[in-house]
């Protein structure tokens, strides 16, 4: 793998490989961009097939965080971490504390939080070794599990998508297929059902499916069928890459709007394929920004109501992106990228000017 080529193309600032023999920790921390602030992004634990797969995942995820913070108007950079291994086998206090020490060594350039397979209790062990954590328990003044607010943002994003595409101002009678009903997916199912939507669910974990059927009256679907269902909305809420050459031609929904990060296997190719098929795509990092909004609040004194109110603004952000994409004839993911890059470039430009002015002042003083 041409690592530096990938870093240059994607624009990463720093990638840190962390290993510790005694705790068994193998982790990668990727800091994509700190133009707008410290790089904040969750930590994912996954049993990757190869080190290369883990590296690619963390590079893509961290870049997504830069764009997510930029488009959401937060003063944060983009970063992410992955811990390699089976969560059922490798979790231990020593592993999380060691990971915390690696984060501490970065001096605040990276702030961690929960992501797939990482729970609040895990993050609290990381917090024993570093202050650069968010998403700690409510009892300690933290924001706790971000997934309810992420789901609230996704729910509002689905409302915006339905309003734009189907001209409906309510979800009553709207059908939604949720792929992956874990932390975010289950909360989303609850919001959708409470609003009158008909919800289908699929998950590799049968217990998660049973829970959603019993608790919220969702209908169970097969794993390989969920994206093919004849519904209004397909909501990918498991892992990335589920929008690809094979799945896109099979999608019958008019809208794809879900919580998962990196849904498009290839951003350009698959974003265009969805547009060609006249499927409205809610850019993943825009619709799933609720979790980031939630942990950002924690850095400024947590208030759950403010976090929820700000996450609801995803409705307006998405509508603006949909209109812009239509006007310009571009994909919705291109439109959101442009919006994020506009802010990043403006702040970079401001810094360049500040540096120039600083140099001139110094030269005048010393001439
Ligand atoms: P989670 O681990 O709680 O849930 C993921 C669920 O997906 C699990 O129940 C798992 O069994 C299921 N799953 C995995 N592979 C599957 C497959 N092939 N088909 C069907 N189900 C499958 O994770 P989560 O916190 O709910 O996050 C879900 C997604 O949302 C991830 O992509 C994550 O990066 C993204 N996200 C989460 C947050 C958050 O606040 N937790 C914020 C932003 C984005």
């Amino acid at each position: 793998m041409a690592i530096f080529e990938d870093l240059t193309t994607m624009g990463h600032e720093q990638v840190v490989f962390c290993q510790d023999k005694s705790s068994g920790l193998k982790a990668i921390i990727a800091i994509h961009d700190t133009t707008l602030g410290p790089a904040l992004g969750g930590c994912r634990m996954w049993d990757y097939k190869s080190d290369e797969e883990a590296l690619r995942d963390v590079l893509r995820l961290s870049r997504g965080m830069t764009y997510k913070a930029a488009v959401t108007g937060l003063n944060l950079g983009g970063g992410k971490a992955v811990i390699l291994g089976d969560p059922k086998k490798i979790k231990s206090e020593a592993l999380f504390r060691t990971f915390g020490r690696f984060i501490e060594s970065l001096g605040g350039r990276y702030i961690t939080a929960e992501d797939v397979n990482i729970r609040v209790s895990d993050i609290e062990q990381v917090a024993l070794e570093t202050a650069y954590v968010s998403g700690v328990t409510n009892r300690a003044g933290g924001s706790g599990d971000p997934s309810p607010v992420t789901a609230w943002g996704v729910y509002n994003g689905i409302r915006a998508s339905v309003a734009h595409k189907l001209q409906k101002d309510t979800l009553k009678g709207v059908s939604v297929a949720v792929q992956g009903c874990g932390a975010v997916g289950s909360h989303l199912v609850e919001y959708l059902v409470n609003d009158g939507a008909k919800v289908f669910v699929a998950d590799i974990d049968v217990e998660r499916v049973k829970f959603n059927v019993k608790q919220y009256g969702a209908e169970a679907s097969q794993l390989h069928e969920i994206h093919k269902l004849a519904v209004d909305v397909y909501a990918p809420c498991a892992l990335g890459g589920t929008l690809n050459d094979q799945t896109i031609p099979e999608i019958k929904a008019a809208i794809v709007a879900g919580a998962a990060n990196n849904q498009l296997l290839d951003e350009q190719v698959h974003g265009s394929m969805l547009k060609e098929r006249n499927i409205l795509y809610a850019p993943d990092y825009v619709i799933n920004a609720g979790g980031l909004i939630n942990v950002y609040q924690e850095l400024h004194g947590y208030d759950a109501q403010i976090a929820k109110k700000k996450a609801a603004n995803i409705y307006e952000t998405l509508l603006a992106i949909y209109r812009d994409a239509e006007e310009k004839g571009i994909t919705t993911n291109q439109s959101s990228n442009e919006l994020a890059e506009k802010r990043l470039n403006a702040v970079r430009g401001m810094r360049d000017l500040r540096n120039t002015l600083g140099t001139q002042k110094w030269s005048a003083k010393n001439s």
Side-chain angles (χ1 to χ4, degrees):
M1 179 181 185
I3 294 179
F4 280 103
E5 208 176 294
D6 273 24
L7 299 188
T8 311
T9 315
M10 295 176 80
H12 284 78
E13 289 178 12
Q14 188 179 9
V15 179
V16 183
F17 290 81
C18 319
Q19 79 83 27
D20 175 59
K21 219 173 175 180
S22 63
S23 65
L25 175 76
K26 279 187 191 161
I28 312 173
I29 301 170
I31 297 176
H32 177 254
D33 189 294
T34 54
T35 302
L36 300 175
L40 194 154
C43 170
R44 170 174 295 191
M45 185 177 276
W46 196 255
D47 200 5
Y48 292 99
K49 287 192 201 88
S50 66
D51 298 350
E52 188 177 328
E53 189 190 34
L55 180 59
R56 284 202 190 283
D57 202 26
V58 78
L59 292 182
R60 284 196 73 188
L61 289 165
S62 54
R63 182 173 173 271
M65 293 308 291
T66 300
Y67 280 73
K68 189 185 301 202
V71 92
T72 312
L74 304 176
N75 299 317
L76 291 173
K80 204 88 181 181
V82 292
I83 298 179
L84 289 73
D86 183 345
K88 292 200 174 84
K89 293 182 188 154
I90 67 160
K91 281 191 181 185
S92 72
E93 180 189 352
L95 180 134
F96 285 117
R97 290 183 76 141
T98 307
F99 179 58
R101 269 179 239 153
F102 277 106
I103 293 172
E104 181 67 17
S105 75
L106 295 170
R109 279 174 54 71
Y110 170 67
I111 303 171
T112 201
E114 293 89 354
D115 193 63
V116 176
N117 288 323
I118 296 290
R119 305 292 169 220
V120 174
S121 53
D122 303 326
I123 286 296
E124 280 173 349
Q125 289 178 336
V126 177
L128 294 172
E129 302 294 335
T130 178
Y132 303 120
V133 288
S134 53
V136 291
T137 180
N138 313 55
R139 288 191 311 279
S143 57
D145 176 9
S147 58
V149 181
T150 303
W152 178 245
V154 175
Y155 159 70
N156 279 285
I158 290 177
R159 283 181 51 238
S161 310
V162 165
H164 183 82
K165 183 78 179 173
L166 308 177
Q167 284 79 48
K168 287 187 182 174
D169 56 9
T170 161
L171 294 188
K172 202 161 192 300
V174 169
S175 50
V176 187
V178 179
Q179 179 189 45
C181 38
V184 179
S186 292
H187 288 293
L188 176 63
V189 171
E190 184 179 7
Y191 290 131
L192 294 170
V193 168
N194 286 346
D195 207 2
K198 167 82 189 139
V199 181
F200 299 84
V201 292
D203 198 298
I204 49 171
D205 182 343
V206 286
E207 293 306 318
R208 302 301 309 168
V209 175
K210 278 188 199 160
F211 171 80
N212 279 273
V213 169
K214 190 161 176 250
Q215 189 78 9
Y216 307 122
E219 192 170 313
S221 173
Q222 297 298 316
L223 275 178
H224 59 283
E225 291 290 332
I226 189 83
H227 69 280
K228 300 182 198 168
L229 294 182
V231 289
D232 297 306
V233 184
Y234 164 47
C237 295
L239 293 183
T242 50
L243 301 173
N244 53 48
D245 288 348
Q246 184 234 314
T247 57
I248 293 175
E250 296 171 340
I251 294 173
K252 297 186 190 74
I255 296 163
V256 175
N261 280 308
N262 298 335
Q263 292 170 31
L264 300 164
L265 187 61
D266 181 300
E267 225 186 282
Q268 277 181 1
V269 174
H270 299 116
S272 300
M273 265 175 93
L274 287 168
K275 182 172 178 286
E276 277 156 26
R277 289 214 53 221
N278 199 21
I279 297 170
L280 182 69
Y281 170 63
D284 46 15
Y285 65 79
V286 181
I287 193 169
N288 72 16
L292 186 63
I293 292 168
N294 198 54
V295 291
Y296 183 69
Q297 286 305 308
E298 183 175 332
L299 306 179
H300 299 88
Y302 187 62
D303 183 322
Q305 287 314 312
I306 294 177
K308 243 184 132 180
K309 207 170 151 196
K310 290 196 173 165
N313 290 341
I314 288 171
Y315 184 102
E316 293 301 336
T317 309
L318 275 176
L319 283 186
I321 287 168
Y322 293 156
R323 287 187 206 114
D324 179 68
E326 268 177 15
E327 272 169 30
K328 294 180 181 159
I330 58 176
T331 62
T332 52
N333 46 304
Q334 266 174 295
S335 168
S336 58
N337 283 354
E338 283 181 10
L339 196 66
E341 279 159 13
K342 196 170 157 192
R343 181 171 176 226
L344 285 163
N345 289 334
V347 176
R348 281 184 196 126
M350 187 198 81
R351 280 198 185 155
D352 290 347
L353 179 67
R354 197 173 55 194
N355 288 343
T356 311
L357 292 176
T359 312
Q360 280 169 355
K361 220 161 99 190
W362 186 87
S363 310
K365 216 171 73 184
N366 292 281
S367 60

